[in-house]
Amino acid sequence: QVKLAESGGGLVQTGGSLRLSCAAPRSISGIRAMKWYRQAPGKQRDLVAAIANGANTRYSDSVKGRFTISRDNAGNTVYLQMNSLKPEDTAVYYCCVVSPWGDYWGQGTQVTVSA
């Protein structure tokens, strides 16, 4: 079973920063895009940011200007730099890798922003 290695979640105060990372194994070839989703308690899982081949990026309106998604040169690790965090950013954050063979998901990492 393919596993994505997520890290970087934690507890931070309002206005603070966190950096999430997600490493995909080399066994996943032909990665087309890497994405971050989040899910707050009682809510649906929503797309936060995505980065495709060619470094095209897109963000949800709620995080534009505060979050930055990036990939390493090898293209198998994706990062989410989160600045100016707000209590409403509290959620479990999931990494998703899109490949020709299907989508692969991480186990999720908790981000909690205290008021």
Side-chain angles (χ1 to χ4, degrees):
Q1 185 176 1
V2 175
K3 292 185 179 181
L4 306 182
E6 293 181 15
S7 63
L11 173 65
V12 66
Q13 291 184 335
T14 296
S17 298
L18 284 173
R19 188 191 195 210
L20 306 182
S21 65
C22 172
R26 299 289 180 183
S27 59
I28 302 178
S29 60
I31 293 176
R32 292 174 173 168
M34 302 182 85
K35 303 178 181 181
W36 287 99
Y37 288 78
R38 68 186 180 187
Q39 187 168 19
K43 295 188 177 182
Q44 67 181 19
R45 189 174 297 187
D46 292 326
L47 178 67
V48 175
I51 184 165
N53 293 339
N56 295 319
T57 59
R58 59 187 174 107
Y59 300 90
S60 68
D61 289 343
S62 61
V63 306
K64 277 181 183 176
R66 300 187 299 122
F67 291 11
T68 303
I69 189 170
S70 61
R71 287 170 73 172
D72 69 342
N73 289 336
N76 279 66
T77 301
V78 63
Y79 305 96
L80 186 66
Q81 178 66 42
M82 305 185 294
N83 298 329
S84 302
L85 283 162
K86 306 174 181 179
E88 50 264 44
D89 294 318
T90 295
V92 178
Y93 284 70
Y94 296 91
C95 171
C96 176
V97 172
V98 179
S99 81
W101 328 113
D103 295 353
Y104 300 89
W105 290 86
Q107 78 284 358
T109 184
Q110 177 70 46
V111 171
T112 303
V113 184
S114 63

